[in-house]
Amino acid sequence: MKFNPDEMSGFFGEFGGRYVDESLISELEKIEGFFKECVKEDAFWDEFYDLLKNFVGRPTPLLFAENTTKALGGANIYLKLECLANTGAHKINNAIGQALLAKKMGKTRIIAETGAGQHGIATACVCARLGLDCEIYMGEIDTERQRPNVFWMEMFGAKVIPVTSGTRTLTDAVDEAFRVWSTRTEDTYYLIGSALGPCPYPDMVREFQSIIGRETKKQFLEKNKVLPDILIACVGGGSNSIGFFSDFLDDMDVKLIGVEAGGRSNSYGDHAIRMTGTKGTVGAIQGYKSLFLQDSDGKLLPTHSISAGLDYAGIGPQLAYLGEIDRIQFTSAKDEAVINAVKFLAKHEGIIPALESSHALAEAIRLAPTLEKGTNIIVNVSGRGDKDIFITAKAIDEAKWFNFLEEELKRFKAEK
Ligand SMILES: *Cc1c(COP(=O)(O)O)cnc(C)c1O
């Protein structure tokens, strides 16, 4: 789908829009104006692509997963390796695009929300490179649980601010970032981390992430001369999936599958499934209209996933729309299948996928054996799994990991 900024409405069916405090409307209009200008400027894209090439390491490879394909005995499996991008995931593509836009607007201070810390790291990294001040808002509980990520953000020179309101997690960090922003827009740009939030963010984030799908299409066509049959991506807010899918939206023979966090069970609070089964309900929360897991007062409900990047109660408006019109099929993967997918990929391909990406891989592993030989599936490996060692090692070999942590602390104390 070729993006035409002049036709951008900020709506996808009934979803999207701009549901924010009056005080932010004119700033969002200003961002939209700059974005539309930038889209038409070769100089802007030249700088963007130059950073993607020399700083991020793009294009990321498209790998034929030969061993996986043999082991599963059905469809061919290809992997788009976003895990090899600088900072280990796709999030940096968007962070660079928006940071360049902010600079163009003359902003000197970037703020961002983060849950587990992946978007915080990508944003802090890009701010270090581009010489921008950076403040990351993070729920207090998350700052405690995700110490390694806070450490790296601080190494990049960012100030990490623990948010102590509400449940002290991602939802509250988003609210706080909006609140802080509304008090100071003159020099400050809010760099949102997924394909959601008020217009123009969902369109901007998709355009900056669409490099994933464009590269994939070119790489696959060069090798195979035909389009793939199925694309699979995990869906949190929706940035890696919409970036992967967007260049294929008009190719109606290409099936698109989004995989949500099935968590521990289908019970309340145990998952982050917004698009199937009991589903989310329509609401206008945190700046945009979409499907949300919410209570009757429009308060976001708690969620669970083994992967911190997929446990948000809302979904990007364009994905919600594409799900409603059946252009994207949604499914989910449970925590246990996700851990098994990490093990499978490590053993068969020498690749350690992020727990988020492993949702998409779990679906590929389930689906491939049921399909005819010669069917081509591409999975977006949105990030690498080194960051998950505290979760993965505990889930796979608890006793050894416990012992390591205990001994490490003993050694640490003995040294002091
Ligand atoms: C944050 C994250 C996700 C989920 O976010 P989307 O916006 O849905 O892409 C998926 N994979 C990785 C590796 C992440 O860090």
Side-chain angles (χ1 to χ4, degrees), residues 200-332:
Y201 285 97
D203 282 291
M204 287 200 298
V205 177
R206 181 199 60 242
E207 287 311 299
F208 294 139
Q209 291 292 5
S210 65
I211 183 76
I212 305 172
R214 279 203 308 280
E215 279 178 12
T216 302
K217 194 178 223 180
K218 184 161 174 275
Q219 290 164 324
F220 191 85
L221 277 173
E222 264 169 20
K223 191 167 169 210
N224 301 283
K225 316 290 177 217
V226 291
L227 286 174
D229 300 294
I230 301 172
L231 302 186
I232 308 180
C234 66
V235 183
S239 68
N240 88 86
S241 53
I242 197 67
F244 186 44
F245 293 159
S246 106
D247 213 43
F248 294 89
L249 284 175
D250 292 336
D251 301 315
M252 298 308 282
D253 291 337
V254 181
K255 188 171 172 179
L256 309 174
I257 301 177
V259 187
E260 298 185 281
R264 290 181 288 244
S265 82
N266 292 336
S267 307
Y268 161 81
D270 269 2
H271 63 83
I273 301 174
R274 299 138 306 178
M275 295 300 294
T276 60
T278 50
K279 286 184 69 161
T281 50
V282 178
I285 304 177
Q286 299 193 322
Y288 63 107
K289 191 169 178 187
S290 188
L291 295 171
F292 294 90
L293 299 174
Q294 56 178 321
D295 66 15
S296 51
D297 297 329
K299 233 181 96 209
L300 295 181
L301 292 172
T303 54
H304 162 82
S305 167
I306 193 162
S307 67
L310 302 187
D311 66 355
Y312 180 60
I315 181 167
Q318 189 170 11
L319 284 170
Y321 168 69
L322 291 167
E324 299 264 294
I325 64 166
D326 281 332
R327 180 63 190 97
I328 298 176
Q329 264 82 57
F330 280 89
T331 183
S332 57

Side-chain angles (χ1 to χ4, degrees), residues 88-91 118-119 193-195 234-241 309-310 354 356-357 382-384 387:
H90 70 288
K91 286 202 170 74
Q118 292 308 114
H119 176 54
S194 192
C234 66
V235 183
S239 68
N240 88 86
S241 53
L310 302 187
E356 291 84 359
S357 325
S382 53
R384 66 167 187 241
K387 68 178 175 63

